């Protein structure tokens, strides 16, 4: 087992909190404090960012986003439309039964 001093020599930040080891997402203040956006749209934006920052792109299905936020798919479609209306995101449909490609603008 590595000694703490050896770990500290290799890493600048050591995460000891188990919950934080699953990652986190930063939300830009211009999204967080945007009065035009509903809370659900802001959270949907955050979920899209959480997927995009894992691999620089994201294709989560609306069902997965809905599950992540604990809401129905219809609400997710409303939140996505809201984000698109205010030019925070756009998307490209890939075809029937395929997930969309989301662009974070």
């Amino acid at each position: 087992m590595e000694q703490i001093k050896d770990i500290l020599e290799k890493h600048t930040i050591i995460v000891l909190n188990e919950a934080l080891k699953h990652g986190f997402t930063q939300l830009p203040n211009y999204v967080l404090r945007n009065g035009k956006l509903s809370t659900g749209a802001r959270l949907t934006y955050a979920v899209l960012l959480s997927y995009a920052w894992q691999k620089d792109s994201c294709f989560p299905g609306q069902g997965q986003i809905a599950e992540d936020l604990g809401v129905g798919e219809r609400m997710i479609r409303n939140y996505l439309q809201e984000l698109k209306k205010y030019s925070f995101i756009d998307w490209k449909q890939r075809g029937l039964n395929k997930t969309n490609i989301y662009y974070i603008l």
Side-chain angles (χ1 to χ4, degrees), residues 18-32:
E18 287 300 317
L20 293 177
K21 288 183 180 183
H22 297 284
F24 60 92
T25 301
Q26 294 179 336
L27 187 62
N29 285 332
Y30 71 88
V31 175
L32 179 66

Side-chain angles (χ1 to χ4, degrees), residues 13 24 44-45 80 85 95 99:
I13 299 173
F24 60 92
T44 301
Y45 188 88
L80 291 170
K85 174 183 175 182
T99 58

Side-chain angles (χ1 to χ4, degrees), residues 7 35 55-56 60 75 83 87:
I7 294 171
K55 298 180 182 172
D56 297 328
M75 287 303 301
L83 289 165
S87 300

Side-chain angles (χ1 to χ4, degrees), residues 15-60:
V15 178
L16 298 177
N17 182 312
E18 287 300 317
L20 293 177
K21 288 183 180 183
H22 297 284
F24 60 92
T25 301
Q26 294 179 336
L27 187 62
N29 285 332
Y30 71 88
V31 175
L32 179 66
R33 295 185 178 131
N34 190 303
K36 297 177 190 174
L37 294 176
S38 67
T39 302
R42 294 175 210 180
L43 287 172
T44 301
Y45 188 88
V47 169
L48 289 173
L49 283 178
S50 76
Y51 283 105
W53 284 341
Q54 289 176 14
K55 298 180 182 172
D56 297 328
S57 61
C58 63
F59 327 105

Side-chain angles (χ1 to χ4, degrees), residues 70-83:
V71 299
E73 288 185 47
R74 180 180 213 135
M75 287 303 301
I76 293 302
R77 285 191 291 278
N78 292 341
Y79 297 148
L80 291 170
Q81 285 295 338
E82 187 179 341
L83 289 165

Side-chain angles (χ1 to χ4, degrees), residues 45 48 58 88-93 101-105:
Y45 188 88
L48 289 173
C58 63
F88 285 96
I89 66 165
D90 201 359
W91 61 81
K92 178 181 176 183
Q93 294 179 324
I101 297 174
Y102 293 97
Y103 300 98
I104 298 171
L105 307 175

